[in-house]
C-alpha cells in the first residue's frame, strides 16, 4: 500500500520521520462513464470559453473576486502553509472526550520512517499509558488541517479534523415548531431505547446495498435480468399513531430493529 504522505512528526525539539497511510477505503465497484451508443468510456475535454481545447499545463488555479480571476500557483499555496507542508506539529495535549464527533473527517495510520523507530515506539507507549490525545496542525495536498493523534491497535493514528469555521452553525438551520409530547410518551421512548441497547460492534454490520449491487452485476454478466427489490414507500406516522407504534415495537422481539 502506497503512503499518502511523507514528512515529520514534531513534538518540540523531537522530530520523528513519519509516513501516513489512509485508514479508510472505498467499498464497492468503481463506476466509469460510457457512451450509451458505442458503450465505450468517454473522454472529458477541457475547453476555454472561446472553444479552444486546453492542455493540462494551460489550466491554472484561480479565485474569483469582484468579477476578476486571481491566479494562485502551487508554490504560493505551499508557502502559505508556513513551512508546515512536511510537518505534523503538536500544539497541545488533551482528552479524547473533549472532541465533538462533528469535527472528525478522515483517519490516517502513522508509520515510522527510517531512523524514527525508537522515538515512535516511545511516544506510542506514552499515549497508551497517559490516555491522552495530541492536538496537531499539518498540511496535506496543499491545505492546512487540524488533527488529533491517539494510540490505536498498536499504532499511532492521526485523525484529521475540520476547523470550527467548516461546521455549519446550528443557528443557520431552521426547524419547524415542535409539538410537546406527554411525559408518558417520552417514558415509552426511553424504555424502548433501554430494551434495544447492546454493545456496539461495527463488525456486526455490513453494506447490504453492496451485496445487492454485486448480485445485480453477477446476473448481468450471465445475461440475466436484475431482480427487483420489493420496497414500501415511506410515509410519516400520524401523530395519533406515534405512541401505538412505540408500544408495538416494545412488545416485539428484541431483534426487531435489526430486521428493519
Amino acid at each position: 500500500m502506497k503512503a499518502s504522505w511523507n514528512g515529520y512528526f514534531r513534538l518540540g525539539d523531537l522530530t520523528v520521520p513519519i509516513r501516513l497511510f489512509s485508514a479508510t477505503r472505498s467499498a464497492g465497484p468503481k463506476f466509469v462513464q460510457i457512451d450509451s451508443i458505442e458503450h465505450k468510456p468517454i473522454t472529458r475535454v477541457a475547453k476555454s470559453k472561446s472553444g479552444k481545447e486546453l492542455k493540462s499545463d494551460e489550466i491554472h488555479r484561480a479565485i474569483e473576486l469582484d468579477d476578476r480571476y486571481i491566479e494562485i500557483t502551487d508554490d504560493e499555496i505551499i508557502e502559505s502553509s508556513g513551512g508546515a507542508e512536511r510537518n505534523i506539529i503538536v500544539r497541545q495535549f488533551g482528552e479524547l472526550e473533549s472532541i465533538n464527533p462533528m469535527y472528525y473527517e478522515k483517519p490516517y495510520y502513522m508509520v515510522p520512517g527510517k531512523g524514527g523507530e525508537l522515538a515512535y515506539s516511545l511516544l506510542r507507549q506514552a499515549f497508551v499509558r497517559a490516555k491522552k490525545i495530541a492536538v496537531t496542525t499539518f498540511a496535506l495536498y496543499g491545505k492546512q488541517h487540524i488533527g488529533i493523534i491517539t494510540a490505536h491497535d498498536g499504532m499511532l493514528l492521526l485523525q484529521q479534523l475540520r476547523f470550527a469555521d467548516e461546521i455549519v452553525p446550528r443557528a443557520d438551520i431552521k426547524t419547524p415548531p415542535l409539538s410537546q409530547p406527554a411525559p408518558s410518551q417520552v417514558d415509552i421512548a426511553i424504555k424502548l431505547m433501554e430494551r434495544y441497547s447492546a454493545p456496539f460492534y461495527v463488525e456486526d454490520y455490513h453494506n447490504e446495498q453492496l451485496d445487492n449491487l454485486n448480485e445485480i452485476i453477477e446476473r448481468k454478466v450471465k445475461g440475466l435480468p436484475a431482480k427487483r427489490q420489493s420496497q414500501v414507500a415511506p410515509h410519516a406516522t400520524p401523530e395519533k399513531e406515534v405512541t401505538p407504534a412505540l408500544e408495538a415495537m416494545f412488545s416485539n422481539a428484541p431483534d426487531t430493529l435489526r430486521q428493519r
Side-chain angles (χ1 to χ4, degrees), residues 30-46:
K30 182 179 180 180
F31 290 101
V32 297
Q33 292 184 316
I34 64 171
D35 186 321
S36 63
I37 299 175
E38 297 182 0
H39 298 285
K40 293 182 180 180
I42 64 174
T43 300
R44 295 190 178 277
V45 178

Side-chain angles (χ1 to χ4, degrees), residues 149-161:
I149 293 176
T150 58
H152 173 77
D153 200 17
M155 300 181 67
L156 292 179
L157 184 75
L158 171 66
Q159 181 70 251
Q160 179 178 309
L161 304 180

Side-chain angles (χ1 to χ4, degrees), residues 1 3-7 17-21 109-114:
M1 187 175 179
S4 302
W5 183 93
N6 290 277
I18 287 293
R19 293 176 294 156
L20 295 184
F21 292 84
Y109 290 120
M110 295 177 63
V111 176
K114 187 176 180 179

Side-chain angles (χ1 to χ4, degrees), residues 14-259:
L14 178 63
T15 302
V16 186
I18 287 293
R19 293 176 294 156
L20 295 184
F21 292 84
S22 176
T24 61
R25 60 187 176 191
S26 298
K30 182 179 180 180
F31 290 101
V32 297
Q33 292 184 316
I34 64 171
D35 186 321
S36 63
I37 299 175
E38 297 182 0
H39 298 285
K40 293 182 180 180
I42 64 174
T43 300
R44 295 190 178 277
V45 178
K47 292 185 177 181
S48 67
K49 195 171 183 179
S50 64
K52 175 189 174 184
E53 187 173 323
L54 300 173
K55 299 178 182 179
S56 59
D57 60 357
E58 295 177 310
I59 302 174
H60 296 175
R61 183 188 287 109
I63 294 174
E64 185 176 3
L65 185 65
D66 298 329
D67 297 325
R68 296 176 56 203
Y69 291 96
I70 311 299
E71 291 192 16
I72 303 294
T73 67
D74 292 341
D75 288 341
E76 288 169 333
I77 290 178
I78 292 175
E79 290 173 7
S80 70
S81 69
E85 184 67 20
R86 290 297 172 193
N87 294 284
I88 300 171
I89 304 173
V90 175
R91 301 300 184 180
Q92 70 172 81
F93 292 93
E95 310 297 331
L96 182 61
E97 294 75 17
S98 65
I99 307 298
N100 188 320
M102 285 186 70
Y103 292 96
Y104 287 116
E105 186 166 7
K106 183 176 176 58
Y108 291 92
Y109 290 120
M110 295 177 63
V111 176
K114 187 176 180 179
E117 295 85 355
L118 175 60
Y120 180 96
S121 179
L122 183 158
L123 290 169
R124 183 189 65 80
Q125 292 186 42
F127 273 103
V128 172
R129 291 177 58 183
K131 298 181 180 179
K132 295 286 186 179
I133 63 169
V135 179
T136 70
T137 55
F138 62 100
L140 191 63
Y141 305 126
K143 182 180 179 182
Q144 187 177 34
H145 299 279
I146 186 173
I148 61 170
I149 293 176
T150 58
H152 173 77
D153 200 17
M155 300 181 67
L156 292 179
L157 184 75
L158 171 66
Q159 181 70 251
Q160 179 178 309
L161 304 180
R162 298 177 177 89
F163 283 103
D165 58 5
E166 295 179 288
I167 301 297
V168 177
R170 168 65 180 86
D172 289 356
I173 308 301
K174 307 302 179 184
T175 58
L178 300 179
S179 303
Q180 186 62 35
S184 59
Q185 292 177 305
V186 179
D187 289 341
I188 293 174
I190 292 174
K191 290 179 180 179
L192 182 66
M193 293 178 184
E194 293 173 345
R195 178 177 175 83
Y196 286 92
S197 292
F200 168 68
Y201 301 103
V202 70
E203 297 83 2
D204 291 343
Y205 294 81
H206 68 280
N207 191 331
E208 296 177 0
Q209 182 189 20
L210 181 57
D211 292 343
N212 295 333
L213 187 56
N214 284 334
E215 182 181 354
I216 291 173
I217 294 172
E218 290 177 6
R219 291 182 64 85
K220 283 180 170 288
V221 168
K222 296 176 182 178
L224 301 174
K227 288 184 178 180
R228 305 294 297 181
Q229 297 286 335
S230 59
Q231 296 184 357
V232 178
H235 64 279
T237 301
E239 289 193 358
K240 65 180 181 180
E241 297 179 15
V242 169
T243 300
L246 293 174
E247 292 175 336
M249 290 180 64
F250 184 78
S251 62
N252 288 333
D255 59 352
T256 300
L257 285 180
R258 294 292 298 274
Q259 294 175 352

